[in-house]
Amino acid sequence: MRNGELMRKIEGISQKVLTQTLRQLERHGLVSRIDHEEKPACVEYSLTSVADSLVSTLAALDHWAEINFPELDAARVRYDEENGSI
């Protein structure tokens, strides 16, 4: 994906944070960056094979979080009420 596509897909992220995150993911070998050296700049990002091997694991974690969110949210509310937190 190109940078602009990522910005549209990830709501609420700033350009600065996206750039920093992509650099870290590239550094850790999870994302590859292809600079087409064009004007205007054309850079594409893609998952490496290592990152691609995480997709099913992350999908399972996401599914777990969606199922368990109501219980986790209720626990936070109970804790905050019992401990005088926000």
Side-chain angles (χ1 to χ4, degrees):
M1 283 188 180
R2 293 182 61 183
N3 194 297
E5 293 174 86
L6 290 169
M7 288 287 296
R8 286 188 291 278
K9 285 190 176 263
I10 306 170
E11 293 180 25
I13 193 167
S14 69
Q15 180 63 58
K16 179 181 177 182
V17 171
L18 177 60
T19 299
Q20 291 172 339
T21 302
L22 287 168
R23 285 182 182 157
Q24 286 298 311
L25 291 170
E26 183 180 13
R27 179 174 179 252
H28 291 292
L30 297 170
V31 166
S32 64
R33 179 181 186 271
I34 301 167
D35 185 348
H36 294 284
E37 299 181 12
E38 297 176 359
K39 300 272 183 185
C42 180
V43 177
E44 292 181 340
Y45 297 90
S46 61
L47 295 179
T48 63
S49 59
V50 159
D52 200 40
S53 72
L54 281 172
V55 171
S56 61
T57 301
L58 292 175
L61 178 60
D62 181 58
H63 180 69
W64 177 89
E66 287 178 7
I67 289 170
N68 290 287
F69 180 80
E71 186 175 343
L72 298 171
D73 196 39
R76 280 190 296 276
V77 169
R78 275 193 310 278
Y79 179 91
D80 290 349
E81 288 172 350
E82 293 169 3
N83 293 286
S85 300
I86 298 174

